[in-house]
Amino acid sequence: MIDLHTHSVFSDGTTTPEENVRLAQRSGLSGLALTDHDTLQGWPRADRAAQRAGIDFVPGVELSCELDGRGVHLLGYWVDADDAALSAECDRLRQERDRRAGEIIDLLARHGVHVDPAAVRARAAGAPLGRPHVAAVLVDMGVVADVDAAFDEWLGDGRPAFAQKRALSPVDGVRLLRGAGGVAVIAHPGVSEVVTADLVAQLAAAGLAGVEGDHAAHDDDQVRYWRAVAAELGLAVTGSSDFHGERKDARIGQRTTPRAVVDRLRAHCLQVRAV
Ligand code: AMP
Ligand code: ZN
Ligand code: FE
Ligand code: FE
């Protein structure tokens, strides 16, 4: 079994790629994907660690997209690390995340919460700036009790300090990931309020290969629902923890994807490249 969605310090996780591999090995997994937000920079370290540990490494990325002012996340696997269009979008998103962090800090200040931008940058330690980094600083400051409260009270979608990243539409995101030689899977469809079965059908028409139906944040009904949507559209169903280290409860290996599904996704990706 393979956990197809994990984060590291290369985005907003708290563990190194080597630690993710070790945790995967300890959980008895045969493979692990690293899917940091909008960056591929953790791949070489995860790849080396996985080789040493004797488990499979699936190179991935969680690409930020946007629909109706809300975030939609796509997982891309086996994309070409040298693809110019994907690299340009990741670079642009990094700058956009810097801009948005400033906007969030301004919104917080308007509500009397004064966050030091340098503290947020220090938390990210060079990774693309995410809301969890701002949340961690709010916890440090004693403004909120924990990261969840930071999202509930301030940073979550539609909350007082919510600011959206400008990003591609999910249809264009699927095209970008496919154009980079990879396969695209819609991440945690039950978590994003703008992700509907209709949207997934549109994405399937654009070349989406799978649905992350078995995500750690989905309850049993959501898993059943998204499995049915995927079956209807002939898409693969993946399972994953969306591990973020200490920033979330999910553990590596809590939800997994069978090897046969990973093989099917890989075949889909090689097929696309052959066309
Ligand atoms: P960003 O990429 O900056 O928009 O931040 C999105 C990330 O924030 C997600 O990948 C999650 O890791 C995290 N996140 C979103 N909502 C919550 C929440 N309610 N509690 C904790 N973390 C969250
Ligand atoms: Zn994240
Ligand atoms: Fe996500
Ligand atoms: Fe994620």
Side-chain angles (χ1 to χ4, degrees):
M1 300 296 273
I2 295 156
D3 189 335
L4 273 182
H5 185 165
T6 74
H7 295 269
S8 75
V9 290
F10 281 89
S11 63
D12 56 8
T14 62
T15 51
T16 61
E18 290 83 0
E19 286 169 324
N20 288 18
V21 168
R22 189 151 35 86
L23 291 165
Q25 194 184 24
R26 230 190 266 159
S27 313
L29 300 185
S30 64
L32 169 86
L34 185 71
T35 51
D36 275 310
H37 296 283
D38 311 321
T39 178
L40 317 181
Q41 286 181 358
W43 284 11
R45 283 176 52 179
D47 194 14
R48 267 196 305 275
Q51 277 179 35
R52 276 199 298 270
I55 65 173
D56 289 335
F57 170 59
V58 177
V61 60
E62 186 171 17
L63 181 71
S64 298
C65 298
E66 177 192 0
L67 187 68
D68 298 334
R70 290 289 187 265
V72 175
H73 292 172
L74 291 176
L75 295 160
Y77 299 106
W78 302 289
V79 291
D80 176 2
D82 297 323
D83 183 78
L86 180 60
S87 302
E89 178 60 5
C90 288
D91 290 348
R92 191 198 66 76
L93 279 164
R94 183 181 283 267
Q95 286 169 27
E96 173 62 7
R97 284 172 168 282
D98 289 347
R99 182 202 65 74
R100 183 194 52 162
E103 191 181 340
I104 291 173
I105 289 167
D106 288 348
L107 287 165
L108 286 166
R110 252 184 256 169
H111 288 86
V113 177
H114 297 281
V115 170
D116 178 4
V120 176
R121 279 195 297 275
R123 270 290 178 172
L129 286 183
R131 284 180 285 170
H133 301 122
V134 181
V137 172
L138 290 173
V139 175
D140 290 346
M141 291 168 68
V143 172
V144 289
D146 55 30
V147 168
D148 273 344
F151 274 87
D152 288 348
E153 293 172 32
W154 295 105
L155 306 172
D157 291 18
R159 304 304 299 148
F162 173 72
Q164 180 54 41
K165 307 185 276 294
R166 287 189 286 266
L168 293 176
S169 73
V171 165
D172 285 341
V174 168
R175 293 191 179 127
L176 181 68
L177 294 170
R178 290 193 56 182
V183 284
V185 171
I186 178 86
H188 46 66
V191 173
S192 317
E193 57 188 83
V194 293
V195 177
T196 59
D198 277 352
L199 176 69
V200 175
Q202 279 175 45
L203 299 182
L208 187 80
V211 176
E212 194 181 46
D214 194 8
H215 182 273
H218 289 174
D219 62 26
D220 291 350
D221 283 346
Q222 286 172 313
V223 173
R224 267 194 294 277
Y225 177 77
W226 290 105
R227 274 189 185 283
V229 170
E232 180 86 8
L233 295 166
L235 301 174
V237 177
T238 66
S240 23
S241 63
D242 201 356
F243 177 73
H244 277 76
E246 286 167 17
R247 290 216 174 99
K248 276 193 184 172
D249 291 336
R251 289 168 291 103
I252 283 187
Q254 184 171 334
R255 306 280 181 103
T256 54
T257 307
R259 159 84 45 190
V261 173
V262 177
D263 288 345
R264 180 181 158 196
L265 288 172
R266 180 70 175 142
H268 186 284
C269 152
L270 295 172
Q271 227 170 27
V272 169
R273 282 185 201 180
V275 175

